[in-house]
Amino acid sequence: MSSVTSPIATSQSGNNNTRWIGRTVIYGLLLIFAVLYLMPLFVMLTTSFKTMDEIQNGNMLALPQSPTFDPWIKAWGETCVGLTCAGIKGYFWNSIKMVVPAVAISTIMGALNGYVLTKWRFPGHTLVFGLMLFACFIPFQSVLLPMATILGSLGRFGMTLQNATGLSFGFGNPTVNLVFVHVVYGLGFTTLFFRNFYEAFPTELVRAAQVDGASFFQIFRRIMLPNSLPIIVVTVIYQFTNIWNDFLFASAYAGTGESMPMTVALNNVVNTSTGVVEYNVNMAAAMIAAVPTLIVYILAGRYFVRGLMAGAVKG
């Protein structure tokens, strides 16, 4: 008796082979791109644990033969930033003091704007949203001079307050200036995120709360915010990354003195090296600067795409 192969079985076998080959190619390409993408991080991390003798011997892809934390210790507390050789720790905390309030203020204001533009519509709300959306496309460079003028006026107002009351209330302080700049510039993006998210939020819940006598802020605090965790995560990650990594505004408005944020200080660490360039210290400083954003993405990165998609479908 001769064995007869079913056409259906043959077709299924061919489909399985094709699917297996396709997956192999896709995962192979993803692996190659992942290696290429992570290679600079690998070089930075390994170099930061090497001695200068190992670095000067070449082969930057080699693992450290005698790992040492001395470059990290020197970068944190001893390396020179300009004329000051006290490490980057002070500038690291400058960035923390700038980023945390800027992210918090821009997030809560974006949530309020999105709430108003979707659930408390007013005449001209589409125009207001369009103007705020337009702000997302304004280049950084085009606002440098106008913003400098505004910050100068705020600084003079702070001096007036200082003379009158003995307190400037932060007006004219470089860190406060950067918080103000990033809140203003980021407000268009945060409003866009929350507006799109709240557009898909059931309006019936808001109407029911109004019938029960809930006020504007009671509805916002008890209904909207508790259900906004996905988009809050998205906004915090987006704003934190942009503000922490900003160099243009930081160098323009706080590029000198002890109020420099981390990005400007890191640039000065590299550019003020004299004699032998200490690549291990420079790499350690760069890794320290990258740690906060890495932590944010590790802890909340999986919620990023989920939060973006949460408001993508209305209904």
Side-chain angles (χ1 to χ4, degrees):
M1 295 179 62
S2 59
S3 60
V4 179
T5 303
S6 173
I8 297 177
T10 303
S11 177
Q12 291 178 346
S13 177
N15 291 337
N16 291 335
N17 291 335
T18 303
R19 190 180 298 111
W20 183 85
I21 294 173
R23 288 183 178 178
T24 302
V25 172
I26 291 174
Y27 286 116
L29 290 174
L30 288 176
L31 180 61
I32 292 172
F33 287 127
V35 170
L36 293 175
Y37 184 81
L38 294 175
M39 189 65 68
L41 179 62
F42 173 79
V43 172
M44 287 175 57
L45 186 60
T46 55
T47 303
S48 68
F49 289 106
K50 291 180 181 179
T51 62
M52 283 302 299
D53 292 335
E54 287 186 60
I55 295 173
Q56 291 170 351
N57 288 334
N59 194 5
M60 63 180 180
L61 297 179
L63 294 173
Q65 297 178 356
S66 302
T68 175
F69 282 96
D70 290 342
W72 289 72
I73 296 173
K74 186 172 183 179
W76 181 254
E78 300 176 18
T79 191
C80 294
V81 181
L83 300 177
T84 304
C85 296
I88 60 174
K89 58 180 181 294
Y91 309 104
F92 182 90
W93 296 118
N94 286 342
S95 288
I96 293 292
K97 289 186 290 186
M98 173 192 66
V99 169
V100 172
V103 171
I105 295 172
S106 60
T107 299
I108 194 67
M109 291 185 67
L112 280 169
N113 288 341
Y115 170 49
V116 171
L117 290 172
T118 54
K119 307 306 177 187
W120 293 76
R121 299 186 188 277
F122 54 90
H125 70 275
T126 55
L127 177 61
V128 172
F129 176 66
L131 292 175
M132 299 195 71
L133 186 62
F134 176 74
C136 299
F137 301 96
I138 299 178
F140 282 28
Q141 295 82 354
S142 64
V143 301
L144 285 178
L145 290 179
M147 187 63 72
T149 302
I150 294 174
L151 295 179
S153 299
L154 292 177
R156 290 189 292 272
F157 179 66
M159 293 180 62
T160 303
L161 288 177
Q162 182 74 35
N163 295 331
T165 64
L167 297 173
S168 65
F169 298 97
F171 291 103
N173 182 280
T175 301
V176 176
N177 286 347
L178 286 177
V179 171
F180 175 77
V181 170
H182 287 297
V183 168
V184 171
Y185 195 85
L187 197 57
F189 294 97
T190 59
T191 300
L192 174 64
F193 293 156
F194 279 97
R195 188 264 183 189
N196 290 343
F197 182 82
Y198 289 152
E199 189 68 36
F201 194 86
T203 306
E204 291 76 11
L205 291 177
V206 177
R207 297 289 180 262
Q210 288 177 314
V211 171
D212 291 338
S215 64
F216 175 91
F217 285 105
Q218 285 177 330
I219 297 173
F220 179 71
R221 187 178 68 253
R222 297 182 180 181
I223 298 178
M224 306 302 290
L225 277 185
N227 292 284
S228 302
L229 182 59
I231 202 63
I232 289 176
V233 171
V234 171
T235 306
V236 168
I237 291 177
Y238 180 85
Q239 282 292 88
F240 186 94
T241 304
N242 282 346
I243 297 173
W244 183 271
N245 293 330
D246 169 68
F247 179 78
L248 183 61
F249 288 149
S251 60
Y253 306 130
T256 58
E258 297 181 356
S259 298
M260 287 188 296
M262 187 66 188
T263 49
V264 180
L266 181 61
N267 178 72
N268 293 342
V269 167
V270 176
N271 291 333
T272 56
S273 298
T274 57
V276 178
V277 179
E278 295 180 302
Y279 294 105
N280 51 357
V281 176
N282 293 346
M283 294 299 179
M287 288 301 303
I288 293 173
V291 162
T293 51
L294 288 174
I295 292 176
V296 168
Y297 272 100
I298 290 173
L299 295 180
R302 62 176 178 171
Y303 300 106
F304 188 75
V305 176
R306 186 184 307 175
L308 285 176
M309 297 300 295
V313 179
K314 184 176 180 180

